[in-house]
Amino acid sequence: MSTESASAVFRDTFAAEPEGVWSAPGRVNLIGEHTDYNGGLCLPIGLPQRTFAAVRRRDDGMLRMVSAQGGDVVEVALDDVGPGRPEGWAAYVAGVPWALRRAGHEVSGLDVAVDGRVPLGAGLSSSAALECAVAAAASDLFGLGLLADAAGRTALAAACVEAENTVAQAPTGGMDQSAAMLAEPGHALLLDCRDHHTEQVPFDLAEAGLALLVVDTRAEHALVDGQYAERRDSCEQAARELGVPTLREVAVGDLDDALGRLSSDLLRRRTRHVVTEIDRVVQAREALRHDDFERLGALFLLSHASMRDDIEISVDELDTVVETAVAAGALGARMTGGGFGGSAIALVRADAVDATTERVEAAFADKGFRAPQAFAVTASGAAARDH
Ligand code: ADP
Ligand code: MG
């Protein structure tokens, strides 16, 4: 059990018992990519893979952090936390009490031992799982009561976004933290990034004899940060040229007119992705309401083509998963997450999980790619106290 393992790391490192263990899930987004920073819609699920944090309060204002996946213990005074401080993985931990304090909550120092079961850097949001496990612990230990309802959880998610953007200095649109804080078992989370409205959408594949296969391509790509920034900048420029606050304000029915007013082909393609992708999220919610998984699969494929051709965030490994899964009989498949590597998802019949995995592994071997990691997932619950 990872609850036990986080506690064991805590005891080994700090020679004391933690006050408790909290965990939060990774996520995969079913559909709605590069829409969050455009005020759009996305539809993530919580993963069964979680990050565990064993935590104890300190009264000297120090943060001491250790991870089963990190290196040495990192120590920093809460007063010294800030943009880019501390560096590295500990920023995702230290940034959380820092952001909670900035939001007006009374928090003090912590000892934190982490054990993460969400693959790191696979586009499955190990970073938000880590932040949200720590945020859940802080809420309970400092008596903030923010885990009790959706409003409190949304506030915790916002603190985690602030931690990641400002302290870890990684741009993130907010989908990951909302999923880790609000996901419910057996449901996908429809997230409206314009007004932060959320809706639980039933997502039970087992009932329909289906499974969701996640394939971590383990592809490594350079210059990813600059690529993400370019997509964000292009979308913001397109919105300015169209005279709207975000591309969310462009209705899909007005797309052709909007495209005609943009100054470059690049901006036209970026805009077409965002506007049609938001519309596909709406259609996916309809499909799930009617248990129409054929339609959901078709939407996955349209989404993937748009990511490959219009917003240009796919890579060979991701395209290979999608093509191979479809050739093996998947209802649909698409890359998921920010792109340039990371993971893809495939909607497959439950009895085809193994065969699809083997076909994808063979295709990767043929092309000389690193061996992928594939696993079936079910929609799982949000950050919580485990122990
Ligand atoms: P993703 O969120 O898709 O996994 P990110 O690059 O956003 O990828 O976040 C990965 C980073 O988060 C890691 O490089 C590390 O700094 C930090 N991280 C996540 N989980 C852990 C963990 N269990 N222990 C230490 N660091 C972690
Ligand atoms: Mg991340």
Side-chain angles (χ1 to χ4, degrees):
M1 260 311 282
S2 305
T3 309
E4 253 323 297
S5 138
S7 297
V9 175
F10 191 98
R11 272 183 231 110
D12 285 352
T13 309
F14 303 121
E17 285 296 317
E19 290 185 83
V21 180
W22 290 259
S23 69
R27 63 96 189 93
V28 276
N29 190 21
L30 296 181
I31 197 160
E33 226 66 73
H34 283 250
T35 53
D36 56 357
Y37 57 80
N38 287 297
L41 303 171
C42 51
L43 192 65
I45 61 168
L47 290 178
Q49 288 83 1
R50 303 175 75 85
T51 295
F52 296 81
V55 186
R56 189 179 67 156
R57 280 167 292 183
R58 297 176 60 87
D59 51 21
D60 62 357
M62 290 300 292
L63 297 166
R64 293 196 301 179
M65 298 156 281
V66 66
S67 167
Q69 290 74 41
D72 294 336
V73 179
V74 178
E75 253 190 72
V76 63
L78 183 52
D79 285 342
D80 290 338
V81 177
R85 284 193 326 269
E87 289 186 339
W89 71 271
Y92 297 92
V93 176
V96 173
W98 174 84
L100 287 170
R101 199 158 72 165
R102 289 224 323 175
H105 300 292
E106 271 198 36
V107 302
S108 68
L110 294 170
D111 286 336
V112 181
V114 174
D115 187 18
R117 299 301 163 98
V118 183
L120 268 61
L124 302 175
S125 205
S126 69
S127 59
L130 176 55
E131 293 146 12
C132 292
V134 173
S139 175
D140 278 349
L141 289 175
F142 299 122
L144 310 182
L146 295 171
L147 290 173
D149 57 19
R153 284 173 171 270
T154 302
L156 286 175
C160 292
V161 171
E162 172 99 35
E164 182 152 346
N165 282 340
T166 307
V167 179
Q169 302 195 301
T172 166
M175 162 172 62
D176 306 350
Q177 293 79 4
S178 296
M181 274 298 166
L182 294 162
E184 284 183 12
H187 290 78
L189 180 74
L190 180 82
L191 187 63
D192 186 329
C193 301
R194 178 167 59 187
D195 59 10
H196 300 288
H197 174 79
T198 58
E199 181 187 317
Q200 300 289 343
V201 183
F203 182 65
D204 187 354
L205 293 178
E207 188 120 293
L210 298 171
L212 190 71
L213 187 65
V214 174
V215 182
D216 170 9
T217 63
R218 301 171 76 226
E220 284 181 21
H221 289 269
L223 301 175
V224 171
D225 293 353
Q227 296 284 354
Y228 183 87
E230 184 277 316
R231 301 309 182 278
R232 265 186 105 127
D233 292 347
S234 295
C235 290
E236 282 164 17
Q237 190 187 333
R240 274 195 302 277
E241 290 188 13
L242 296 170
V244 289
T246 65
L247 291 179
R248 171 66 182 282
E249 307 309 320
V250 180
V252 70
D254 300 332
L255 180 59
D256 284 343
D257 170 66
L259 296 181
R261 287 156 51 212
L262 288 169
S263 63
S264 74
D265 185 51
L266 182 93
L267 294 187
R268 279 189 281 278
R269 281 184 287 124
R270 302 292 187 255
T271 301
R272 186 166 56 205
H273 168 76
V274 172
V275 174
T276 60
E277 183 78 352
I278 291 169
D279 183 58
R280 281 186 289 272
V281 179
V282 175
Q283 293 189 52
R285 173 178 52 181
E286 279 312 298
L288 287 180
R289 276 187 182 150
H290 299 99
D291 289 331
D292 187 348
F293 294 108
E294 297 280 342
R295 186 167 168 217
L296 183 67
L299 290 165
F300 278 15
L301 290 171
L302 289 170
S303 171
H304 187 75
S306 179
M307 292 188 285
R308 183 189 57 211
D309 302 334
D310 277 350
I311 196 143
E312 298 178 288
I313 56 174
S314 191
V315 292
D316 274 356
E317 288 88 341
L318 292 164
D319 294 342
T320 299
V321 177
V322 171
E323 285 155 21
T324 311
V326 169
L331 283 73
R334 60 186 289 280
M335 58 146 287
T336 181
F340 311 105
S343 297
I345 53 174
L347 184 59
V348 302
R349 295 186 206 293
D351 59 10
V353 166
D354 292 343
T356 310
T357 301
E358 281 160 26
R359 291 271 294 264
V360 171
E361 284 168 353
F364 270 51
D366 271 357
K367 294 195 175 187
F369 299 154
R370 282 179 82 181
Q373 290 286 331
F375 41 91
V377 299
T378 49
S380 305
R385 183 172 195 149
D386 293 300
H387 185 70

